[in-house]
Amino acid sequence: MKAIITGATKGIGRATTEAFAKQGFDVAICARTAADLDAFEAELNKTYPNIEVFTQVVDMSKKDAVKGFAAAVVAKWAKVDVLVNNAGVFLPGELTDAKNEDNFELMMDTNLYSAYYMTNGVLPAMVEQKDGCIINICSIASFEPYGAYAVSKHAMLGFSRALREEVKEKGVRVSAVMPGATLTASWDGVDLPKERFMKPEDIADAVWGIYNLSKQTVVEEIILRPQLGDI
Ligand code: NAP
């Protein structure tokens, strides 16, 4: 069994990679920082010596790099069972502030277009096998108006819904996961007790659970929030 997880060296992507590796999946993972990828690959090889770990340095905000990663994995593995479109970035800022133009574009590229190009690279193999699962990491910002970031995450939810309709009769399941505040590097510098957040491992368990249902059932959308609510 094979899983692709984008943006996998930290946070939710890392925990998700571990969840699938623990279940015996071969994993194809990417991030921008080569040293982090090498270290994580070594750790995975040590803990799960029976799985294959494929890593590639990829900047998911760059269309050609995303397409290259998808093509490399598909060339290597005829069948991919699950794609987790996780890579994403949060940059604070108002949509109407012209100073945020570059940040807005970067968030759209990283949070939306990466998933679009990655999916289109992997989908033909899934459709041919009439089997596959695509899990898109959205956010509660997919339905709350939290600045420019929210636009990218609303779009990601729209992408998930449209994709779901297009492939539901082709054997491919599509899920949108909407987490609230999860304790990852994204929150570095925020002074709140860690109990106020969810654990990335909990999001990873939900992702594994979504995948692990029988193929007759799809979790179309799931919202996860800290017990005490949004931050
Ligand atoms: P994180 O801890 O900051 O980790 C991000 C991971 O993605 C790192 O491995 C990072 O490695 C990689 N990455 C970032 N930009 C990339 C790019 N352009 N190309 C390739 N890899 C990239 O992030 P996280 O908080 O786990 O968030 C993961 C996803 O969950 C995102 O889509 C985020 O929007 C979503 N989410 C997070 C929260 C939260 O509260 N944390 C809540 C809702 C939704 P490099 O830096 O080396 O590239």
Side-chain angles (χ1 to χ4, degrees):
M1 304 295 272
K2 319 275 187 202
I4 305 176
I5 300 104
T6 65
T9 54
K10 295 181 197 152
I12 294 169
R14 186 185 183 98
T16 302
T17 302
E18 284 172 347
F20 279 86
K22 197 169 151 188
Q23 299 291 339
F25 275 62
D26 297 326
V27 290
I29 56 175
C30 72
R32 291 166 301 182
T33 312
D36 290 351
L37 265 179
D38 290 348
F40 190 32
E41 181 179 9
E43 206 178 304
L44 288 167
N45 282 330
K46 193 169 168 211
T47 315
Y48 309 103
N50 297 325
I51 69 162
E52 184 185 352
V53 181
F54 173 70
T55 64
Q56 191 163 309
V57 174
V58 182
D59 183 342
M60 293 295 291
S61 70
K62 306 271 192 279
K63 172 176 162 176
D64 290 343
V66 178
K67 287 185 166 192
F69 180 50
V73 180
V74 169
K76 191 174 172 51
W77 294 338
K79 184 170 190 287
V80 173
D81 300 282
V82 55
L83 165 65
V84 183
N85 285 313
N86 168 74
V89 61
F90 168 75
L91 300 166
E94 287 183 8
L95 205 51
T96 48
D97 184 343
K99 287 199 298 297
N100 291 328
E101 220 174 76
D102 291 346
N103 282 354
F104 181 56
E105 284 184 17
L106 184 65
M107 284 192 282
M108 293 302 284
D109 288 339
T110 313
N111 301 356
L112 174 69
Y113 289 116
S114 67
Y116 168 70
Y117 291 118
M118 198 67 211
T119 298
N120 281 347
V122 172
L123 191 62
M126 290 183 169
V127 169
E128 198 179 322
Q129 311 266 352
K130 292 193 173 46
D131 184 22
C133 180
I134 297 172
I135 301 176
N136 294 318
I137 306 301
C138 300
S139 169
I140 52 150
S142 294
F143 45 81
E144 300 284 357
Y146 295 152
Y149 173 75
V151 179
S152 70
K153 290 295 183 178
H154 274 62
M156 183 67 155
L157 177 56
F159 168 67
S160 290
R161 288 173 171 169
L163 181 65
R164 156 84 180 129
E165 281 311 300
E166 281 189 28
V167 300
K168 71 179 178 192
E169 287 173 13
K170 297 179 178 171
V172 179
R173 297 182 292 161
V174 179
S175 304
V177 178
M178 272 72 74
T182 308
L183 192 56
T184 69
S186 307
W187 290 91
D188 280 354
V190 174
D191 187 20
L192 281 168
K194 66 180 190 324
E195 297 73 28
R196 191 64 189 78
F197 297 84
M198 292 183 288
K199 297 177 185 180
E201 293 77 13
D202 286 343
I203 312 304
D205 283 350
V207 171
W208 167 254
I210 289 167
Y211 170 77
N212 196 39
L213 296 176
S214 98
K215 290 179 179 161
Q216 288 164 252
T217 304
V218 62
V219 175
E220 290 185 330
E221 294 172 19
I222 182 170
I223 300 170
L224 300 106
R225 278 199 161 91
Q227 170 63 11
L228 291 174
D230 291 336
I231 291 174

